[in-house]
Amino acid sequence: MTRKIRILLAAMVFIASATYLFLEVLAGWNSHISDSVSADPSIALITKYFTVFMSILMMRYFILITFSYLEHLDNIKKHKLERTMGEPTPESDKKLPFITIIVPAYNEGMNIQTAIRSLLEIDYPNYEVVVVDDGSTDDTYKRACEMVNVTDKCVVTVLTKANGGKANALNTGMACAKGDFILNMDGDTKLSPNTLRDCIRHFDDPKIGAVAGNVKVINRDNVITRVQALEYVEGLALTRMAQSYTRVVNIIPGPLGMFRKSALRQVRGYDDDTFAEDCDLTLKLLFEGWHIIYEPRAIAWVESPSHMIDLLKQRYRWTRGILQAINKHSWSLWHPFKAGVNGWILWYMLFEGMLWPISNVLGNIFFIWIDLKYGVPILLAFWWLQLTILDVVAAGYCVIVEKEDTLLIAYALVFRVFYQLLVDVAKILASVEELAGVKMSWGKLEREGKL
């Protein structure tokens, strides 16, 4: 069975499963509720809400997988065309544009040399590396400087400045960049050797302002990190692949994003008024009319949190930062005709960041309460079964497309049983505190040196 057929079958299984379960939920919620439950209008209203929510959720999965598959087919065609053109030659390499790689780093002494070393192994003839030490209190600057004269392949420049945050560090690097194209990454990231070649080819289209890379977890050594590995493949990569089909990727990940320098200058670089400077910059580019796509072959390996408390702190910051970025562009929420597709992007982000977590947590509470009070466990079973099968089928599809470890599919069960619920609680608390204007700090994640 060819890979294309397996992917298509996965999509067909998803569609069949989603349709069947949706009908089962509709039938189940009508036939298995006792008379005492159905007689309560408030309970009937809540069950109708969750029916609508579940239908929206399945539509979301259906749309993402469909557009992701179409983008995947387009990529296959492009790669075949590239192979017919032959391998790169010294003459063709001379035509490639100069690229600047910017590495902002704050207390990344444990990983900075590994990150820089991966950049020195990149297969590209014409680039420079600019490391910006953002006032680190450890040996980041010293260890980065040790990498300056390691190779003659490219120039490595190390700058140091007073601590001003990641956005400020990236802007500092951008001001010193010699390339017309800039790749921004994190100091705790390791890039695949093909990254620059696979990203730069997209800029032949003058409408492309940026390319988002594929972020993967490198430290898959316990249940939490393995579930995150699946989450990055199923949640982040699937969404970006689908959005790439319409050229409206809504978040360029901090670990790997390549930009047209003129586009960055047009939006005046990064702002430091959110905790999600990458999301904010992406929205600014989209609102200026730039197209943003996703390159799955350009991979950034990152060290993910290996303890639950660190993970929840990270998601708490992500959620508040995304809400801050949405708030900066909130006018588009209420002016859909002027904002066009960008308005829908923000509504989608609100659904993912607020409505989905709230509905998931409340759904579990509601159906457990129904079971305890009325003895109707079938509703809770339908709820969990529906979500779990959606997760498993989507995970299977994404693992095939990404050529990932098939064992990750099994972690879809762990993902649904406890992981997603805890993360959603953190997102809800973050949303409440953001709306209430509670102050917070950046919250640096302590690294373990597993890059």
Side-chain angles (χ1 to χ4, degrees), residues 274-356:
T274 75
F275 287 101
E277 73 292 325
D278 47 2
C279 175
D280 179 39
L281 176 69
T282 307
L283 293 177
K284 290 198 299 181
L285 289 170
L286 289 174
F287 277 95
E288 286 294 335
W290 289 102
H291 293 179
I292 301 175
I293 62 172
Y294 168 69
E295 175 48 66
R297 294 193 299 181
I299 299 175
W301 295 97
V302 300
E303 179 184 328
S304 65
S306 58
H307 302 288
M308 201 66 197
I309 187 64
D310 293 328
L311 171 67
L312 296 178
K313 288 179 180 178
Q314 181 194 64
R315 300 312 166 87
Y316 174 90
R317 176 175 59 81
W318 285 6
T319 300
R320 291 199 62 169
I322 290 173
L323 291 178
Q324 291 165 356
I326 293 173
N327 184 56
K328 288 182 62 175
H329 304 276
S330 59
W331 68 270
S332 65
L333 293 171
W334 317 112
H335 300 84
F337 295 105
K338 290 184 179 180
V341 67
N342 294 322
W344 290 105
I345 290 173
L346 292 192
W347 281 113
Y348 173 79
M349 293 172 68
L350 281 176
F351 173 81
E352 295 258 320
M354 291 185 67
L355 182 60
W356 191 349

XYZ file of all heavy atoms in Angstrom, residues 274-356:
714
model
N 3.578 42.057 24.426
C 2.835 40.811 24.633
C 3.816 39.738 25.086
O 5.041 39.896 24.974
C 2.130 40.329 23.355
O 3.107 39.775 22.455
C 1.377 41.458 22.678
N 3.280 38.632 25.594
C 4.101 37.476 25.950
C 4.168 36.477 24.805
O 4.652 35.360 24.987
C 3.540 36.801 27.205
C 3.787 37.578 28.464
C 2.782 38.348 29.026
C 5.025 37.558 29.086
C 3.007 39.079 30.183
C 5.265 38.267 30.242
C 4.249 39.044 30.798
N 3.688 36.868 23.633
C 3.735 36.011 22.446
C 4.137 36.873 21.255
O 3.339 37.144 20.356
C 2.393 35.331 22.209
N 5.392 37.320 21.292
C 5.873 38.226 20.248
C 5.826 37.586 18.869
O 5.643 38.270 17.860
C 7.298 38.708 20.568
C 8.409 37.692 20.382
C 8.359 36.552 21.388
O 7.970 36.812 22.538
O 8.702 35.416 21.027
N 5.961 36.248 18.802
C 5.899 35.573 17.506
C 4.485 35.613 16.927
O 4.302 35.861 15.730
C 6.387 34.130 17.626
C 5.782 33.394 18.812
O 4.946 33.982 19.523
O 6.143 32.222 19.025
N 3.485 35.407 17.768
C 2.090 35.488 17.317
C 1.734 36.915 16.899
O 1.107 37.132 15.865
C 1.158 35.012 18.427
S -0.601 35.196 18.054
N 2.158 37.882 17.690
C 1.868 39.286 17.399
C 2.479 39.702 16.065
O 1.825 40.346 15.227
C 2.401 40.155 18.529
C 2.163 41.636 18.298
O 1.077 41.992 17.790
O 3.052 42.440 18.612
N 3.738 39.323 15.831
C 4.404 39.666 14.574
C 3.696 39.010 13.397
O 3.508 39.640 12.345
C 5.861 39.222 14.616
C 6.643 39.449 13.313
C 6.856 40.939 13.071
C 7.970 38.713 13.334
N 3.291 37.756 13.554
C 2.597 37.057 12.472
C 1.315 37.775 12.088
O 1.022 37.966 10.898
C 2.274 35.613 12.891
O 3.459 34.962 13.352
C 1.700 34.838 11.710
N 0.539 38.175 13.087
C -0.704 38.889 12.809
C -0.429 40.220 12.118
O -1.164 40.616 11.205
C -1.482 39.117 14.106
C -2.042 37.841 14.776
C -2.733 38.200 16.083
C -3.002 37.119 13.848
N 0.627 40.907 12.529
C 0.966 42.183 11.881
C 1.288 41.970 10.400
O 0.876 42.769 9.550
C 2.149 42.849 12.595
C 1.823 43.372 13.978
C 2.843 44.390 14.468
C 4.223 43.845 14.577
N 5.189 44.849 15.084
N 2.012 40.907 10.099
C 2.349 40.620 8.701
C 1.100 40.286 7.895
O 0.931 40.748 6.760
C 3.340 39.458 8.642
C 4.766 39.741 9.137
C 5.562 38.451 9.241
C 5.474 40.715 8.210
N 0.219 39.472 8.477
C -1.018 39.112 7.781
C -1.880 40.332 7.511
O -2.457 40.482 6.424
C -1.801 38.078 8.602
C -1.205 36.666 8.675
C -2.009 35.801 9.639
C -1.164 36.012 7.297
N -1.972 41.231 8.473
C -2.805 42.412 8.296
C -2.198 43.403 7.309
O -2.893 44.290 6.813
C -3.054 43.089 9.653
C -4.177 42.479 10.433
C -3.935 41.508 11.379
C -5.488 42.850 10.190
C -4.974 40.915 12.087
C -6.534 42.267 10.887
C -6.272 41.297 11.838
N -0.909 43.249 7.029
C -0.286 44.077 5.992
C -0.398 43.438 4.618
O 0.119 43.967 3.640
C 1.182 44.328 6.334
C 1.404 45.314 7.469
C 0.952 46.722 7.124
O 0.910 47.063 5.909
O 0.632 47.499 8.051
N -1.054 42.286 4.550
C -1.296 41.640 3.258
C -0.279 40.597 2.842
O -0.379 40.043 1.739
N 0.705 40.308 3.706
C 1.704 39.310 3.356
C 1.131 37.897 3.493
O 0.315 37.632 4.365
C 2.933 39.433 4.258
C 3.757 40.651 3.987
C 3.778 41.824 4.711
C 4.674 40.844 2.904
N 4.652 42.719 4.152
C 5.220 42.147 3.048
C 5.096 40.049 1.841
C 6.155 42.660 2.154
C 6.036 40.560 0.956
C 6.555 41.840 1.116
N 1.581 36.998 2.636
C 1.215 35.595 2.745
C 2.243 34.877 3.611
O 3.445 35.163 3.537
C 1.164 34.940 1.363
C 0.068 35.454 0.499
N -0.142 35.009 -0.797
C -0.900 36.376 0.729
C -1.185 35.634 -1.314
N -1.649 36.478 -0.411
N 1.767 33.929 4.415
C 2.649 33.158 5.287
C 2.338 31.675 5.098
O 1.182 31.263 5.181
C 2.462 33.550 6.762
C 2.753 35.050 6.949
C 3.369 32.723 7.670
C 2.488 35.552 8.350
N 3.370 30.882 4.836
C 3.180 29.460 4.577
C 4.023 28.630 5.546
O 4.802 29.161 6.341
C 3.521 29.097 3.121
C 4.988 29.402 2.833
C 2.635 29.841 2.158
C 5.421 28.896 1.481
N 3.867 27.331 5.426
C 4.516 26.378 6.330
C 5.390 25.431 5.538
O 4.989 24.949 4.476
C 3.422 25.613 7.080
C 3.872 24.393 7.845
C 4.674 24.500 8.979
C 3.460 23.115 7.448
C 5.057 23.386 9.693
C 3.838 21.988 8.162
C 4.629 22.128 9.284
O 5.001 21.013 9.983
N 6.602 25.187 6.031
C 7.516 24.255 5.380
C 7.781 23.082 6.328
O 8.559 23.199 7.281
C 8.829 24.953 5.027
C 9.900 24.040 4.456
C 9.396 23.134 3.344
O 9.018 23.637 2.270
O 9.373 21.900 3.556
N 7.148 21.934 6.076
C 7.280 20.801 7.000
C 8.665 20.165 7.019
O 9.035 19.496 7.989
C 6.225 19.812 6.489
C 6.022 20.168 5.057
C 6.211 21.646 4.970
N 9.449 20.354 5.954
C 10.765 19.712 5.914
C 11.820 20.487 6.691
O 12.879 19.932 7.007
C 11.207 19.543 4.456
C 10.333 18.576 3.669
C 10.964 18.189 2.353
N 11.180 19.332 1.474
C 11.702 19.267 0.259
N 12.065 18.099 -0.240
N 11.845 20.354 -0.482
N 11.556 21.760 7.000
C 12.475 22.556 7.814
C 12.128 22.316 9.282
O 11.103 22.783 9.770
C 12.350 24.029 7.457
N 12.968 21.587 9.987
C 12.641 21.121 11.328
C 13.489 21.820 12.386
O 14.707 21.959 12.230
C 12.831 19.603 11.433
C 11.911 18.886 10.446
C 12.568 19.102 12.848
C 12.111 17.388 10.384
N 12.822 22.249 13.444
C 13.487 22.801 14.620
C 13.248 21.844 15.780
O 12.110 21.629 16.196
C 12.940 24.186 14.943
N 14.326 21.269 16.303
C 14.222 20.370 17.450
C 14.346 21.189 18.732
O 15.287 21.964 18.889
C 15.313 19.310 17.399
C 15.180 18.386 16.229
C 15.833 18.463 15.025
C 14.331 17.235 16.149
N 15.437 17.446 14.195
C 14.522 16.668 14.852
C 13.434 16.629 17.024
C 13.844 15.534 14.430
C 12.766 15.490 16.606
C 12.972 14.951 15.334
N 13.388 21.015 19.632
C 13.369 21.812 20.865
C 13.276 20.889 22.074
O 12.801 19.759 21.996
C 12.186 22.797 20.879
C 12.273 23.769 19.704
C 10.852 22.061 20.868
N 13.734 21.425 23.201
C 13.602 20.722 24.478
C 12.308 21.172 25.139
O 12.158 22.337 25.478
C 14.802 21.027 25.372
C 14.735 20.343 26.731
C 15.887 20.747 27.641
O 16.987 21.015 27.120
O 15.675 20.794 28.866
N 11.374 20.263 25.302
C 10.089 20.604 25.890
C 10.113 20.377 27.399
O 10.960 19.635 27.909
C 8.977 19.754 25.253
O 9.170 18.386 25.570
N 9.196 20.991 28.132
C 9.147 20.796 29.585
C 8.924 19.319 29.937
O 8.041 18.674 29.376
C 7.948 21.645 30.018
C 7.783 22.666 28.929
C 8.195 21.972 27.672
N 9.719 18.810 30.848
C 9.601 17.399 31.224
C 8.830 17.201 32.519
O 8.616 16.059 32.936
C 10.997 16.770 31.359
O 11.772 17.461 32.322
N 8.421 18.298 33.149
C 7.611 18.227 34.366
C 6.306 18.981 34.144
O 6.278 20.020 33.483
C 8.369 18.809 35.555
C 9.681 18.120 35.829
N 9.757 16.860 36.363
C 10.954 18.524 35.611
C 11.025 16.504 36.480
N 11.775 17.495 36.027
N 5.238 18.481 34.715
C 3.910 19.034 34.467
C 3.811 20.489 34.894
O 3.191 21.303 34.203
C 2.847 18.193 35.190
C 1.457 18.360 34.612
S 1.373 17.701 32.925
C -0.134 18.461 32.325
N 4.409 20.846 36.011
C 4.307 22.222 36.495
C 4.966 23.191 35.525
O 4.457 24.294 35.271
C 4.933 22.357 37.916
C 4.672 23.752 38.476
C 6.404 22.019 37.897
C 3.224 24.070 38.699
N 6.110 22.790 34.934
C 6.781 23.645 33.949
C 5.954 23.763 32.673
O 5.897 24.825 32.051
C 8.168 23.076 33.619
C 9.114 23.140 34.804
O 8.994 24.082 35.614
O 9.968 22.242 34.927
N 5.324 22.664 32.290
C 4.468 22.686 31.105
C 3.292 23.637 31.294
O 2.972 24.436 30.413
C 3.951 21.281 30.804
C 2.872 21.172 29.726
C 3.434 21.534 28.364
C 2.262 19.779 29.708
N 2.644 23.560 32.460
C 1.484 24.415 32.723
C 1.883 25.881 32.752
O 1.142 26.749 32.277
C 0.819 24.001 34.032
C 0.212 22.589 34.048
C -0.375 22.283 35.410
C -0.838 22.431 32.959
N 3.066 26.182 33.293
C 3.553 27.565 33.285
C 3.770 28.052 31.861
O 3.450 29.200 31.531
C 4.864 27.658 34.074
C 4.715 27.518 35.578
C 6.074 27.600 36.253
C 5.952 27.464 37.765
N 7.288 27.504 38.428
N 4.314 27.178 31.016
C 4.546 27.541 29.616
C 3.232 27.824 28.895
O 3.093 28.836 28.205
C 5.292 26.413 28.907
C 5.610 26.694 27.449
C 6.032 25.434 26.714
O 5.254 24.493 26.564
N 7.279 25.412 26.253
N 2.232 26.940 29.068
C 0.959 27.123 28.390
C 0.195 28.324 28.940
O -0.553 28.982 28.211
C 0.117 25.850 28.498
C 0.809 24.645 27.875
C 1.360 24.979 26.480
N 2.280 23.993 25.993
C 1.929 22.903 25.338
N 0.651 22.672 25.102
N 2.856 22.066 24.917
N 0.392 28.582 30.228
C -0.204 29.772 30.835
C 0.315 31.029 30.133
O -0.452 31.910 29.749
C 0.137 29.798 32.325
C -0.296 31.041 33.059
C -1.545 31.118 33.665
C 0.545 32.144 33.176
C -1.940 32.260 34.356
C 0.169 33.281 33.856
C -1.077 33.330 34.447
O -1.451 34.470 35.122
N 1.628 31.088 29.933
C 2.229 32.252 29.264
C 1.794 32.327 27.804
O 1.488 33.404 27.303
C 3.755 32.182 29.362
C 4.466 33.299 28.613
C 5.954 33.272 28.841
N 6.571 32.044 28.429
C 6.909 31.756 27.176
N 6.639 32.613 26.202
N 7.492 30.610 26.880
N 1.779 31.190 27.112
C 1.346 31.179 25.714
C -0.072 31.720 25.589
O -0.357 32.536 24.704
C 1.400 29.761 25.168
C 2.766 29.246 24.864
C 3.956 29.864 25.120
C 3.092 27.996 24.250
N 4.996 29.079 24.721
C 4.507 27.926 24.173
C 2.339 26.934 23.781
C 5.169 26.828 23.631
C 2.991 25.835 23.235
C 4.397 25.787 23.154
N -0.953 31.257 26.472
C -2.354 31.668 26.385
C -2.500 33.166 26.599
O -3.192 33.851 25.826
C -3.205 30.912 27.425
O -3.121 29.513 27.168
C -4.660 31.349 27.355
N -1.854 33.690 27.621
C -1.955 35.127 27.875
C -1.341 35.926 26.733
O -1.878 36.971 26.330
C -1.285 35.470 29.204
C -2.032 34.933 30.418
C -1.659 35.636 31.696
N -1.975 37.046 31.678
C -1.936 37.834 32.754
N -1.592 37.320 33.933
N -2.216 39.104 32.674
N -0.244 35.451 26.203
C 0.387 36.161 25.099
C -0.481 36.189 23.857
O -0.592 37.225 23.180
N -1.116 35.070 23.538
C -1.995 35.014 22.364
C -3.197 35.924 22.550
O -3.608 36.638 21.621
C -2.431 33.562 22.092
C -1.232 32.750 21.587
C -3.563 33.514 21.070
C -1.507 31.268 21.440
N -3.779 35.928 23.745
C -4.912 36.817 24.010
C -4.496 38.280 23.902
O -5.253 39.121 23.411
C -5.489 36.536 25.398
C -6.197 35.187 25.571
C -6.676 35.020 27.006
C -7.368 35.062 24.602
N -3.290 38.602 24.341
C -2.781 39.966 24.218
C -2.623 40.352 22.748
O -2.949 41.473 22.345
C -1.445 40.096 24.952
C -1.556 40.004 26.462
C -0.215 39.765 27.136
O 0.820 39.596 26.475
N -0.223 39.728 28.461
N -2.103 39.418 21.949
C -1.934 39.683 20.517
C -3.290 39.862 19.835
O -3.457 40.746 18.982
C -1.150 38.545 19.863
N -4.267 39.033 20.194
C -5.613 39.169 19.632
C -6.202 40.515 19.999
O -6.824 41.192 19.165
C -6.522 38.028 20.117
C -6.050 36.693 19.541
C -7.977 38.275 19.718
C -6.794 35.491 20.094
N -6.004 40.921 21.248
C -6.560 42.197 21.707
C -5.989 43.376 20.924
O -6.702 44.354 20.653
C -6.282 42.369 23.200
C -6.913 43.623 23.773
O -8.122 43.828 23.670
N -6.098 44.475 24.371
N -4.719 43.283 20.530
C -4.112 44.366 19.751
C -4.774 44.545 18.390
O -4.751 45.632 17.818
C -2.611 44.103 19.563
C -1.772 44.289 20.809
C -0.304 44.057 20.528
C 0.251 45.050 19.525
N 1.719 44.890 19.338
N -5.347 43.477 17.869
C -5.968 43.519 16.546
C -7.471 43.256 16.630
O -8.086 42.828 15.649
C -5.310 42.476 15.634
C -3.822 42.622 15.516
N -3.221 43.490 14.635
C -2.814 42.022 16.191
C -1.902 43.413 14.763
N -1.629 42.529 15.696
N -8.045 43.521 17.797
C -9.436 43.132 18.054
C -10.447 43.853 17.166
O -11.584 43.391 17.016
C -9.781 43.374 19.523
O -9.605 44.740 19.865
N -10.054 44.962 16.563
C -10.991 45.685 15.694
C -11.483 44.790 14.556
O -12.632 44.915 14.100
C -10.331 46.933 15.109
C -9.236 46.635 14.131
C -7.921 46.478 14.404
C -9.384 46.420 12.725
N -7.222 46.175 13.256
C -8.103 46.141 12.204
C -10.469 46.448 11.845
C -7.879 45.892 10.863
C -10.244 46.182 10.498
C -8.960 45.921 10.022
N -10.612 43.859 14.119
C -10.990 42.992 12.990
C -12.075 41.998 13.376
O -12.760 41.458 12.510
C -9.764 42.242 12.470
O -9.268 41.349 13.444
N -12.227 41.732 14.688
C -13.281 40.817 15.124
C -14.658 41.380 14.818
O -15.607 40.635 14.551
C -13.152 40.544 16.628
C -11.919 39.760 17.097
C -11.848 39.771 18.611
C -11.955 38.330 16.568
N -14.759 42.692 14.876
C -16.061 43.350 14.731
C -16.225 44.053 13.393
O -17.230 44.709 13.148
C -16.247 44.345 15.870
C -15.800 43.780 17.185
C -14.737 44.168 17.947
C -16.380 42.660 17.875
N -14.615 43.395 19.053
C -15.615 42.459 19.047
C -17.465 41.812 17.611
C -15.907 41.442 19.955
C -17.748 40.811 18.519
C -16.989 40.626 19.669
N -15.213 43.928 12.526
C -15.300 44.499 11.179
C -14.904 43.427 10.158
O -13.863 43.530 9.498
C -14.385 45.721 11.051
C -14.719 46.830 12.002
N -14.247 46.854 13.303
C -15.494 47.943 11.851
C -14.701 47.941 13.906
N -15.457 48.611 13.062
N -15.708 42.380 10.041
C -15.337 41.236 9.201
C -15.163 41.572 7.727
O -14.337 40.968 7.050
C -16.495 40.254 9.413
C -17.648 41.115 9.848
C -17.039 42.228 10.640
N -15.923 42.540 7.221
C -15.815 42.849 5.795
C -14.512 43.587 5.486
O -13.910 43.391 4.429
C -17.014 43.679 5.354
C -18.326 42.940 5.448
C -19.238 43.213 6.449
C -18.627 41.936 4.534
C -20.431 42.520 6.536
C -19.818 41.231 4.616
C -20.721 41.521 5.626
N -14.058 44.431 6.418
C -12.794 45.132 6.227
C -11.603 44.206 6.493
O -10.597 44.260 5.801
C -12.721 46.345 7.154
C -13.665 47.477 6.782
C -13.454 48.672 7.703
C -14.386 49.818 7.324
N -14.196 51.002 8.230
N -11.733 43.364 7.525
C -10.620 42.491 7.914
C -10.475 41.291 6.990
O -9.384 40.751 6.822
C -10.815 42.023 9.350
N -11.574 40.848 6.388
C -11.524 39.690 5.507
C -11.147 38.425 6.253
O -11.614 38.172 7.371
N -10.234 37.635 5.681
C -9.865 36.353 6.272
C -9.170 36.540 7.613
O -9.228 35.660 8.482
C -8.955 35.570 5.306
C -7.606 36.261 5.152
C -8.771 34.132 5.786
N -8.530 37.688 7.824
C -7.839 37.918 9.092
C -8.803 37.939 10.270
O -8.453 37.534 11.383
C -7.050 39.222 9.036
C -5.910 39.158 8.036
O -5.263 38.133 7.903
N -5.677 40.247 7.329
N -10.017 38.439 10.051
C -11.011 38.422 11.112
C -11.374 37.004 11.511
O -11.510 36.690 12.700
N -11.516 36.120 10.515
C -11.817 34.722 10.810
C -10.660 34.056 11.542
O -10.871 33.167 12.378
C -12.124 33.972 9.515
C -13.427 34.375 8.904
C -13.630 35.170 7.811
C -14.738 34.005 9.369
N -14.965 35.328 7.567
C -15.672 34.621 8.504
C -15.203 33.228 10.422
C -17.044 34.473 8.662
C -16.573 33.074 10.590
C -17.478 33.694 9.714
N -9.441 34.470 11.212
C -8.278 33.910 11.900
C -8.348 34.209 13.394
O -8.104 33.338 14.237
C -6.979 34.490 11.300
C -6.762 33.934 9.890
C -5.778 34.152 12.191
C -5.601 34.567 9.171
N -8.708 35.440 13.741
C -8.788 35.803 15.155
C -9.914 35.058 15.860
O -9.766 34.647 17.020
C -8.979 37.312 15.304
C -7.806 38.197 14.890
C -8.031 39.621 15.354
C -6.489 37.673 15.459
N -11.063 34.890 15.191
C -12.157 34.133 15.793
C -11.735 32.679 16.013
O -12.085 32.071 17.038
C -13.408 34.198 14.918
C -14.178 35.480 15.064
C -14.345 36.462 14.130
C -14.886 35.922 16.227
N -15.110 37.484 14.637
C -15.463 37.186 15.923
C -15.084 35.383 17.508
C -16.220 37.894 16.840
C -15.838 36.093 18.431
C -16.396 37.342 18.089
N -10.991 32.133 15.065
C -10.485 30.765 15.225
C -9.540 30.682 16.419
O -9.588 29.721 17.206
C -9.771 30.324 13.950
C -9.077 28.983 14.073
C -9.802 27.803 13.982
C -7.707 28.911 14.295
C -9.175 26.566 14.106
C -7.071 27.685 14.423
C -7.804 26.518 14.330
O -7.179 25.311 14.460
N -8.677 31.675 16.582
C -7.746 31.687 17.705
C -8.483 31.804 19.035
O -8.078 31.188 20.034
C -6.744 32.831 17.543
C -5.805 32.645 16.358
S -4.779 34.094 16.006
C -3.710 34.102 17.447
N -9.560 32.571 19.067
C -10.363 32.657 20.291
C -11.036 31.320 20.596
O -11.146 30.916 21.759
C -11.414 33.765 20.154
C -10.930 35.196 20.352
C -12.063 36.185 20.081
C -10.388 35.401 21.766
N -11.495 30.650 19.565
C -12.107 29.333 19.758
C -11.088 28.361 20.351
O -11.384 27.646 21.316
C -12.633 28.797 18.426
C -13.121 27.376 18.499
C -14.386 27.092 18.982
C -12.312 26.321 18.088
C -14.846 25.773 19.065
C -12.752 25.004 18.159
C -14.022 24.738 18.655
N -9.881 28.341 19.773
C -8.847 27.434 20.251
C -8.354 27.804 21.646
O -8.099 26.925 22.475
C -7.659 27.447 19.275
C -7.976 26.906 17.905
C -7.469 25.493 17.713
O -6.364 25.185 18.171
O -8.198 24.693 17.108
N -8.215 29.095 21.900
C -7.611 29.536 23.148
C -8.561 29.656 24.319
O -8.137 29.508 25.478
N -9.863 29.894 24.057
C -10.803 30.118 25.148
C -12.008 29.182 25.108
O -12.264 28.443 26.064
C -11.272 31.585 25.139
C -10.195 32.578 25.505
S -10.810 34.276 25.625
C -11.878 34.134 27.066
N -12.753 29.197 24.011
C -14.001 28.448 23.970
C -13.776 26.942 24.087
O -14.496 26.247 24.827
C -14.766 28.759 22.673
C -16.128 28.064 22.525
C -17.059 28.465 23.665
C -16.754 28.383 21.179
N -12.799 26.411 23.385
C -12.532 24.980 23.438
C -12.111 24.536 24.842
O -12.680 23.577 25.394
C -11.479 24.607 22.391
C -11.314 23.141 22.182
C -11.835 22.125 22.942
C -10.568 22.496 21.144
N -11.459 20.912 22.455
C -10.685 21.099 21.355
C -9.821 22.954 20.072
C -10.062 20.173 20.515
C -9.213 22.037 19.232
C -9.332 20.663 19.446
